[in-house]
Amino acid sequence: MQNNNKQFSGNWAIVLGGSSGFGLAAVEKLARHGMNIAVLYRETAAAERALKENLSQLSDVNETVIQPYNINALDNAARAKFIEDFGANKKNTVKLLLHSIARGNLKPLVKEGDKEPLTQEDIQLTTYAMATSLLDWTKDILAADLFHADGRIIGLTSEGSDKYWEGYAAVSIAKASLESLTTYMAVELSKYGLKTNLIQAGITATPSLKRIPDSERLIQHAMARNPSGRITKPEDVANVIYLLCTYEAAWINGTVIHVDGGEHCR
């Protein structure tokens, strides 16, 4: 059902990793509430055509501006160019920076049969992609004076940050780093009006999950332990991203919020 509540009219979100999963669900939710959105992603030409058509329809239906950017959000020069191009006439309008980049190496710690082990480079690349790149984006947006006076920074972590999942070591290291980084960002950036939080979603059938070895077993296990009897949906997470952007959520800072229907309780 269409929601005509446009409380974010005139504000912008920058979504890093917005072509699928949590990122795309957040774009759809926020657009319904009047948020203009810059959607960053890396896709093939064929996938981008379908995505742009979808985003264009969202923009038309919700009377918002949705700008797609097929760039490498992990490249310093690309980030600088984006901020230069995007930032014209958008001072103090970025209400949300959403970090939903899912790019990492899924390998064992040591060689197992024909499976190559993680290297230091694998760990460093994964940690930058899924954790510390958030800080670079935040600092550059802040330096360009683009953040709203009551801005939000939201990242995504997972239960795998402190539990064993096969092949997940590099991502787990990254997620644990992201959780520590969020604590420091919450404290040191609060003087700029920014609130930094993480969402720990339950197991969700996103394209990223499907790349994890034995992901079907994770899904079945999550369904069995979840009090609601189902796994998390991207729109469940998008709903909480929306809530964290509201005025009423201004006192939530430095927190990991479980969005899993109680899955983590078992």
Side-chain angles (χ1 to χ4, degrees), residues 25 44 68-69 87-88 98 100 110 116 123-124 165 188:
T44 64
Y69 294 86
L98 175 62
S100 185
V110 296
E116 292 299 317
I123 294 171
Q124 290 166 2
W165 291 351
E188 296 190 20

Side-chain angles (χ1 to χ4, degrees), residues 2-155:
Q2 184 68 25
N3 190 320
N4 294 318
N5 185 346
K6 301 293 186 181
Q7 76 263 47
F8 298 132
S9 180
N11 293 334
W12 280 84
I14 297 175
V15 178
L16 309 178
S19 61
S20 64
F22 301 130
L24 182 57
V27 170
E28 294 169 345
K29 177 70 176 183
L30 293 170
R32 289 198 294 272
H33 291 271
M35 189 88 80
N36 300 317
I37 308 169
V39 186
L40 281 66
Y41 54 87
R42 288 292 278 170
E43 293 290 353
T44 64
E48 183 180 31
R49 282 193 295 272
L51 176 63
K52 280 186 171 181
E53 181 177 347
N54 182 22
L55 295 179
S56 178
Q57 291 174 354
L58 280 173
S59 180
D60 291 343
V61 168
N62 297 292
E63 299 179 335
T64 58
V65 179
I66 301 180
Q67 295 180 343
Y69 294 86
N70 193 353
I71 64 173
N72 181 3
L74 305 178
D75 179 78
N76 291 337
R79 183 177 67 250
K81 182 67 165 57
F82 165 81
I83 291 176
E84 179 184 358
D85 293 345
F86 167 83
N89 304 315
K90 295 189 181 71
K91 299 290 186 184
N92 307 124
T93 62
V94 176
K95 182 72 173 179
L96 170 66
L97 171 62
L98 175 62
H99 189 283
S100 185
I101 296 175
R103 189 180 306 173
N105 289 282
L106 298 169
K107 299 177 183 177
L109 294 178
V110 296
K111 186 174 177 62
E112 295 179 359
D114 60 353
K115 297 179 181 178
E116 292 299 317
L118 278 175
T119 65
Q120 281 294 336
E121 183 180 17
D122 290 333
I123 294 171
Q124 290 166 2
L125 290 173
T126 303
T127 299
Y128 185 69
M130 303 188 75
T132 52
S133 59
L134 174 60
L135 179 59
D136 281 346
W137 272 95
T138 299
K139 290 195 295 186
D140 285 359
I141 294 170
L142 187 62
D145 199 25
L146 298 180
F147 272 119
H148 189 280
D150 182 28
R152 307 291 196 267
I153 301 167
I154 301 174

